[in-house]
Amino acid sequence: MQASSLSITFLGTGTSSGVPMIACSCEVCTSVNPKDKRLRSSILVESAATSFVIDTTPDFRQQMLRINNTRLDAVLFTHPHKDHIAGLDDVRAYNFFQQRAMDVYANSLTEEALKREFAYAFADKRYPGVPELNLVTIDESPFDIGDITVIPIRVWHHKMPVYGFRIKDFTYITDANRIDPADKEKIKDSKIIVLNALRRAPHISHFTLSEAVALVEELEIPEAYFTHISHQLGRHDNVNQELPPYIRLAHDGLQLTV
């Protein structure tokens, strides 16, 4: 049974380098506006009964401490790139306090990367205290995490297939630069979409700002938020002034109800 109401918290809205970027003195990286401080991209999805994150970034520990999160039922992965999986080790704190393994939902490609990057967690003889992980293999079929139904949406990150996810009338897509027509149909009629918009200049594997705006308009979605943002895009407030009123840049800590 699908949860009646969901809370979405943006744990991070930055690209792989984060914002500010190390050693950069541009106007975005030196901005004093808190909305220009972006940890790597991830969200927390919560119903009254279920709580899970989409992706565990290198900033996962900091993100969960920042919102004082004390419960997590599962992790759901979009794809195996380092900026989306690197923080998985820190779920061991939840293992300890919740006294159970963490359910980890991922496709076979991402599972291979997890077993490679965190080999110690999957070894036959494991050192005490390593993460306890229960892998759940997903494909493009809908599935449930607790009382939340998730519909995978295949998108393309250059040549890599990546999963976006639709949950009720909310669609979350990061690390994409192309979506096939059949998967666009899965997105249509969403009331809210989150979409990556890396920068203004063309990129081999991410939507630009103009491409992201065009896709929102093509799909006729009434409310949109952009994420996975680099320092090259510009200051948060300045970019928002350029956008239509129904499209905003997301920022760390933003909360939505769906």
Side-chain angles (χ1 to χ4, degrees):
M1 182 177 179
Q2 179 72 292
S4 58
S5 178
L6 298 176
S7 173
I8 308 294
T9 302
F10 287 80
L11 302 174
T13 55
T15 191
S16 58
S17 59
V19 183
M21 184 178 180
I22 292 173
C24 184
S25 58
C26 76
E27 66 170 7
V28 177
C29 290
T30 57
S31 169
V32 297
N33 185 349
K35 293 180 180 178
D36 285 320
K37 312 298 183 185
R38 303 182 185 277
L39 301 181
R40 270 62 73 93
S41 290
S42 174
I43 60 172
L44 174 68
V45 181
E46 298 174 286
S47 70
T50 304
S51 171
F52 65 86
V53 291
I54 299 182
D55 294 332
T56 54
T57 80
D59 306 310
F60 174 69
R61 175 181 174 274
Q62 180 183 355
Q63 290 167 337
M64 302 311 267
L65 286 171
R66 183 166 66 176
I67 64 170
N68 193 30
N69 179 271
T70 58
R71 173 190 166 192
L72 192 67
D73 297 309
V75 173
L76 172 59
F77 283 115
T78 58
H79 69 296
H81 279 170
K82 197 76 166 183
D83 55 319
H84 293 261
I85 68 171
L88 182 61
D89 181 86
D90 283 314
V91 302
R92 55 198 168 96
Y94 293 104
N95 295 154
F96 177 78
F97 286 109
Q98 297 176 172
Q99 289 295 293
R100 67 170 186 84
M102 181 63 66
D103 291 335
V104 176
Y105 293 78
N107 66 3
S108 56
L109 181 68
T110 303
E111 283 185 350
E112 290 176 9
L114 297 178
K115 290 176 180 178
R116 182 174 62 249
E117 298 291 332
F118 303 96
Y120 55 89
F122 300 98
D124 292 335
K125 294 182 179 180
R126 295 185 298 157
Y127 190 84
V130 302
E132 297 176 27
L133 308 173
N134 175 38
L135 290 182
V136 182
T137 306
I138 62 173
D139 53 26
E140 294 179 41
S141 303
F143 59 93
D144 293 334
I145 301 177
D147 63 344
I148 301 174
T149 299
V150 181
I151 301 172
I153 300 166
R154 188 183 67 175
V155 300
W156 292 98
H157 189 33
H158 188 39
K159 296 181 180 181
M160 173 182 281
V162 170
Y163 279 166
F165 300 105
R166 179 166 178 168
I167 304 167
K168 297 181 66 178
D169 292 326
F170 171 82
T171 295
Y172 181 78
I173 295 172
T174 181
D175 291 67
N177 71 319
R178 178 169 59 88
I179 305 176
D180 294 333
D183 289 285
K184 286 181 180 179
E185 289 298 319
K186 297 180 181 180
I187 303 169
K188 286 185 176 178
D189 299 323
S190 295
K191 293 180 180 177
I192 302 174
I193 189 170
V194 177
L195 196 63
N196 65 301
L198 183 72
R199 63 189 193 190
R200 299 173 191 273
H203 191 273
I204 192 172
S205 60
H206 284 278
F207 288 124
T208 64
L209 181 65
S210 61
E211 289 169 341
V213 170
L215 182 59
V216 173
E217 293 177 343
E218 175 192 345
L219 297 174
E220 299 181 331
I221 298 175
E223 187 175 350
Y225 297 89
F226 292 159
T227 191
H228 215 289
I229 293 163
S230 82
H231 67 146
Q232 296 169 308
L233 184 60
R235 291 186 177 181
H236 180 94
D237 290 345
N238 293 344
V239 177
N240 268 345
Q241 290 177 2
E242 302 174 29
L243 295 172
Y246 56 91
I247 301 177
R248 302 285 88 184
L249 297 189
H251 59 83
D252 290 20
L254 174 66
Q255 290 188 306
L256 307 175
T257 300
V258 297

